[in-house]
Amino acid sequence: MNHHQQILSILAVGIFTLGAAGVAFGDDDDDDDRRGKRSQPRADFAPLTNVAYSEECGSCHMAYQPGLLPARAWTAIMSPAGLSNHYGDDASLTDELRNEISAYLTANGADRSGGKRASKFAESRAGVDSGLPRISANPYFVKEHDEIPARLIKDNPDVGSLSKCNACHRGAAEGDYSERQINIPGHGPWED
Amino acid sequence: MTSPLAIVLVATGALTLSTPLLAADAAAGKAGWTKEYPASDGSAARSCATCHGRDLTQPGRQANTGKVIEPLAPSVNPQRLTDPAKIEKWLLRNCKWTIGRECTAAEKADFIAYIKTQ
C-alpha cells in the first residue's frame, strides 16, 4: 500500500465511523414513525438508482432494494446459473446487462450500505428449497412477519406471498417499510 | 442455434413469407401459443397462454409473481415488437421456461408472425 492509499484508507475509515455514529444515535426506533415529526425520515433502504436493474428485474416483480440482501447473496442470484433457475423462472440476461446489474446490487448490498434498516439484512439464508438466498428467509424478516396469519398473506388472493412486499407495504417501492405504511388488502393497517 | 438477424427481419416485416428457410407461419404460431408442455418441477403444465392469456389484446399475469403483463398485441400496445433485444430476451427466457428448451428460429418466427397479426 503506498502513501496515498494509506491516507485514503484512514479518511475512508474516519468517514465511515462518523456515518455509523450518526446511524447509531439517530436510530432509536425501528419503525421511525411513532414520533411523526421528523422532517425528512431517511428511507429504510436506499432507493433504486440503476435503471437497468429497475427495468430488467422490475418487469416481473417488485425490484427489491439492494439493501435487502448482502453482496454475496446478490452474487449467487446474478450468476448465469442463478439466473437460469431464478426461483423457478428463467431470468437469463446478456452478460453485459448481468454484469452491470450485479455490480450495482453487490456495491449496494445490505453489508455495504443501503439505508437504516439494511444492516439487519446482512445475513442471508436460503429458503426451505435450499436454493438461492431469499429475503424472506432472513431472521429479522421472519421475526417481523411471523405473527401475521396465513389468511392475510399466503391465502389472501390480493397478496399470495411474502415476496410481494408492495402488496401490503405501500411505500415499498420507495424503500419505506415503516409500520405506518402497512395496509393489508382486505384487512387494513397492521399493529405489531 | 439462434438467429437474431432473422428475428429482427421477421419482426420488422423485412422478410417475406416466401423465404423458404424462414417461412414465418402465423397459424403455426397461433397453434403453438396454447400448446401445453409438462413442467419439470411438477407444477401445472405450461403454455404461452399461462402468463399471456389467449386474447393477446388483454393484459396477462406472470404465473409466479402475479405481476400484470401488458398486452402483447401491437394493435393495442404499439411498443410491442419494436425492440429486437427485448424480443430476443423474452423468446429465449420464455421458451426455456414454457417448453423446457430454446425455441428454433422457425418456431420463434412463427410466434412473432402470430403476435404481429393481433
Side-chain angles (χ1 to χ4, degrees), chain B residues 51-66:
Chain B
C51 295
H52 293 292
R54 285 163 183 267
D55 181 352
L56 274 57
T57 64
Q58 297 296 313
R61 247 173 102 90
Q62 217 275 5
N64 284 336
T65 67

Side-chain angles (χ1 to χ4, degrees), chain B residues 6 9 32 50 98 104:
Chain B
L9 290 172
T50 302
T98 310
T104 65

